[in-house]
Amino acid sequence: MYEELAIFELSIWLGLSAWIANATPVLGGGGRPIDGGRNFRDGHRILGNGKTVRGFIVGMVFGTLTGLGQFLATPYLRPILSMFVTITPEMDYVLSISIPVAFLMSLGALIGDLIGSFIKRRVNVKSGDSSPFLDQMGFIIMALIFAVPLMMPSPVFVMILILTTLGVHWLSNAAGYLLGLKKNPW
Ligand code: CTP
Ligand code: MG
């Protein structure tokens, strides 16, 4: 029971920098769009006004700072966790996230988000309109791929992180709908 809970918590721990990098650009959006306002050869914007240089930098800074916080917290969390479960090497590997890993995961999350926007513009989805798979999965999958040179967690953590990311999106959309901020609950 505690073991499952620990694996779940560690999966969230693994994804934290990518989530923060993905969620914070909205705080610093505005200013020059990354595509410089240019169109692709299909006549639509390359990325659109929703992807800005400032937003990208804000995501990198907050995502990497998340890694710094995790790095500083790990020595305190390890003994607390070990009161409930036997920390396996796989668990300790995920727990010991370093700042360079958080940097790579943030970069992957933000580039994954740009790739998602690029694809959305190619299939004629307007800036800000949602494309469920690309919006929810693109960033986390790219974050995990970017981390590979420094960190390859066991598949169970990766799978739970992907499912949790879907769940968080679903919950936040449902909450937005119930609060009257969104037209649809998805
Ligand atoms: N944002 C930004 N720069 C980024 C990513 C996001 O400035 N690299 C800001 C923008 O203000 C954007 C908001 O965060 O409108 C929400 O981000 P997101 O939902 O990813 O962008 P969308 O506006 O939905 O654009 P798209 O349709 O291209 O995904
Ligand atoms: Mg969006």
Side-chain angles (χ1 to χ4, degrees), residues 51 113 117 120 126-131 135:
K51 304 294 127 148
D113 180 52
S117 286
K120 282 163 76 177
K126 285 201 299 290
S127 269
D129 283 2
S130 71
S131 171
D135 288 345

Side-chain angles (χ1 to χ4, degrees), residues 152-170:
M152 275 184 77
S154 20
V156 60
F157 293 104
V158 171
M159 273 164 51
I160 293 175
L161 173 58
I162 289 174
L163 290 176
T164 311
T165 304
L166 276 176
V168 166
H169 261 267
W170 185 83

Side-chain angles (χ1 to χ4, degrees), residues 4-157:
E4 282 83 0
L5 201 58
I7 291 175
F8 178 69
E9 287 162 1
L10 283 166
S11 303
I12 293 175
W13 186 251
L14 171 66
L16 214 53
S17 54
W19 283 2
I20 297 287
N22 187 250
T24 48
V26 69
L27 305 175
R32 187 187 148 81
I34 291 172
D35 66 9
R38 286 188 297 270
N39 287 345
F40 197 59
R41 34 180 139 75
D42 58 11
H44 296 288
R45 285 288 294 276
I46 301 174
L47 300 171
N49 288 336
K51 304 294 127 148
T52 66
V53 177
R54 230 160 60 197
F56 195 96
I57 294 169
V58 167
M60 281 307 299
V61 169
F62 279 102
T64 308
L65 282 178
T66 302
L68 170 65
Q70 290 180 292
F71 174 74
L72 295 176
T74 299
Y76 301 96
L77 291 178
R78 194 179 282 116
I80 297 174
L81 190 65
S82 70
M83 294 191 313
F84 298 95
V85 291
T86 310
I87 301 180
T88 62
E90 285 84 15
M91 286 181 185
D92 203 45
Y93 185 68
V94 172
L95 183 63
S96 316
I97 281 181
S98 66
I99 300 159
V101 168
F103 177 86
L104 285 184
M105 289 192 78
S106 303
L107 191 62
L110 288 155
I111 289 177
D113 180 52
L114 297 185
I115 294 171
S117 286
F118 179 78
I119 297 172
K120 282 163 76 177
R121 296 303 92 78
R122 302 294 68 75
V123 296
N124 223 343
V125 177
K126 285 201 299 290
S127 269
D129 283 2
S130 71
S131 171
F133 181 79
L134 293 172
D135 288 345
Q136 301 170 11
M137 293 286 89
F139 84 92
I140 199 73
I141 289 170
M142 284 305 276
L144 289 163
I145 291 174
F146 266 62
V148 164
L150 297 183
M151 181 167 197
M152 275 184 77
S154 20
V156 60
F157 293 104

